[in-house]
């Protein structure tokens, strides 16, 4: 389908901070890789100490990222990866930071590394899809969202993100279908209402767009997300102008 020149104001979906399970708790899902910090004959206690330091770097990185100190967060995740080059949690969270810094190419590289270690890492598919979408590579984004939905057909964020990708390449019926499904699964999804409102606005259906934005604004306010609450009210005011 021909890509539209209009890039809709879509809320992108990224992988949540620290969402990936620690390797110790996901051993069954992960392919075992030799650790660079533990060779043959090493004292197991030394591995536990090294692993604890990796966790500490990751926790500090997440804390800095949440405070907006992205450069500081990168340094912490880099330190974690120097100690354990196979830390999927460090790669996932570093990918998130790169994405927030709008270095989508680096983010895609880190998410891909996570998927090499664990092809079932749904958070990495979501993060990589969002990065592809930010780069306007909607077919690649949709392919990753499809992979996420194969792993979990009820993953709401995948429907929201895929709906945005469909909209950004001009496939509005597919976008509405995905966002409707997201709202069926979670009738209180502010992001789904916002994105569907964006699609309706692009199609020229002001009444439907305003209804969705009004609901999104209510939900953002309930979530104490004042930034998105105000941004949504601005969209409503714009649509209400003669």
């Amino acid at each position: 389908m021909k890509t539209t020149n209009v890039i809709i104001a879509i809320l992108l979906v990224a992988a949540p901070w620290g969402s990936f399970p620690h390797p110790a708790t996901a051993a069954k899902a992960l392919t075992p890789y030799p650790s660079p910090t533990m060779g043959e004959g090493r004292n197991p206690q030394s591995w536990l100490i090294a692993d604890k330091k990796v966790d500490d770097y990751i926790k500090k990185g997440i804390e800095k990222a949440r405070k907006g100190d992205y450069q500081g967060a990168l340094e912490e995740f880099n330190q974690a990866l120097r100690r354990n080059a196979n830390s999927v949690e460090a790669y996932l969270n570093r990918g998130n930071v790169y994405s927030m810094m709008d270095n989508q190419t680096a983010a895609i590289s880190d998410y891909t590394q996570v998927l090499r270690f664990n092809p079932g890492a749904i958070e990495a598919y979501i993060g990589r899809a969002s990065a592809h979408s930010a780069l306007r590579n909607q077919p690649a984004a949709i392919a990753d969202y499809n992979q996420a939905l194969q792993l979990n057909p009820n993953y709401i964020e995948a429907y929201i993100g895929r709906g945005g990708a469909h909209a950004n390449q001009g496939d509005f019926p597919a976008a509405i279908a995905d966002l409707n499904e997201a709202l069926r699964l979670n009738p209180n999804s502010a992001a789904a209402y916002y994105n569907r409102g964006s699609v309706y606005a692009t199609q020229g259906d002001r009444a439907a767009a305003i209804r969705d934005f009004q609901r999104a604004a209510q939900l953002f306010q309930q979530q104490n997300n004042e930034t998105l609450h105000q941004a949504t009210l601005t969209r409503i005011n714009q649509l209400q102008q003669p």
Side-chain angles (χ1 to χ4, degrees), residues 4 8-9 27 30 39 42-43 46 50 59 99 122 162 178 182 188 204 223 225 229 242:
T4 178
I8 301 170
L30 290 173
R42 286 286 300 273
N43 183 343
S46 67
K59 289 176 182 176
S99 185
I122 193 168
R162 193 175 69 176
D178 273 347
N188 293 317
Q223 297 167 7
N225 192 331
H229 175 234

Side-chain angles (χ1 to χ4, degrees), residues 77-92:
F77 296 135
N78 287 340
Q79 286 285 357
L81 288 165
R82 288 189 189 103
R83 288 183 172 272
N84 181 1
N86 299 325
S87 173
V88 290
E89 192 173 5
Y91 278 116
L92 179 68

Side-chain angles (χ1 to χ4, degrees), residues 17-229:
W17 299 114
S19 62
F20 203 86
H22 186 278
T25 62
K28 292 182 179 179
L30 290 173
T31 302
Y33 288 86
S35 169
T37 60
M38 184 177 179
E40 291 296 328
R42 286 286 300 273
N43 183 343
Q45 186 64 30
S46 67
W47 161 243
L48 293 175
I49 293 171
D51 192 54
K52 174 68 163 57
K53 289 181 179 178
V54 170
D55 282 349
D56 287 343
Y57 283 123
I58 292 171
K59 289 176 182 176
K60 289 178 183 177
I62 292 172
E63 290 172 3
K64 289 182 178 181
R66 285 174 173 162
K67 293 177 181 178
D69 182 7
Y70 298 134
Q71 192 58 49
L74 281 182
E75 293 172 3
E76 298 293 346
F77 296 135
N78 287 340
Q79 286 285 357
L81 288 165
R82 288 189 189 103
R83 288 183 172 272
N84 181 1
N86 299 325
S87 173
V88 290
E89 192 173 5
Y91 278 116
L92 179 68
N93 285 292
R94 193 176 70 174
N96 288 344
V97 172
Y98 279 134
S99 185
M100 294 299 295
M101 296 174 72
D102 202 28
N103 188 347
Q104 305 301 342
T105 300
I108 288 169
S109 178
D110 275 358
Y111 293 135
T112 300
Q113 188 69 6
V114 172
L115 291 167
R116 289 194 187 105
F117 291 157
N118 181 8
I122 193 168
E123 299 92 344
Y125 280 117
I126 294 295
R128 194 171 69 175
S130 180
H132 281 310
S133 191
L135 292 174
R136 303 188 184 184
N137 186 352
Q138 308 306 338
I142 290 169
D144 275 347
Y145 285 128
N146 289 344
Q147 287 292 330
L149 288 167
Q150 284 185 9
L151 292 168
N152 181 358
N154 294 321
Y155 204 85
I156 297 168
E157 288 80 3
Y159 286 110
I160 295 172
R162 193 175 69 176
H166 280 310
N168 276 321
Q169 66 176 7
D171 190 350
F172 300 127
I176 293 294
D178 273 347
L179 295 167
N180 286 346
E181 181 63 14
L183 288 167
R184 185 188 70 80
L185 293 168
N186 179 10
N188 293 317
S189 172
Y193 277 112
Y194 183 96
N195 283 4
R196 195 174 68 176
S198 292
V199 176
Y200 283 140
T202 302
Q203 290 181 303
D205 190 341
R206 286 194 177 192
I210 289 171
R211 283 197 302 271
D212 274 0
F213 283 137
Q214 286 174 335
R215 182 57 179 149
Q218 292 173 353
L219 292 167
F220 284 135
Q221 187 174 42
Q222 291 172 14
Q223 297 167 7
N224 295 318
N225 192 331
E226 192 57 27
T227 300
L228 289 179
H229 175 234

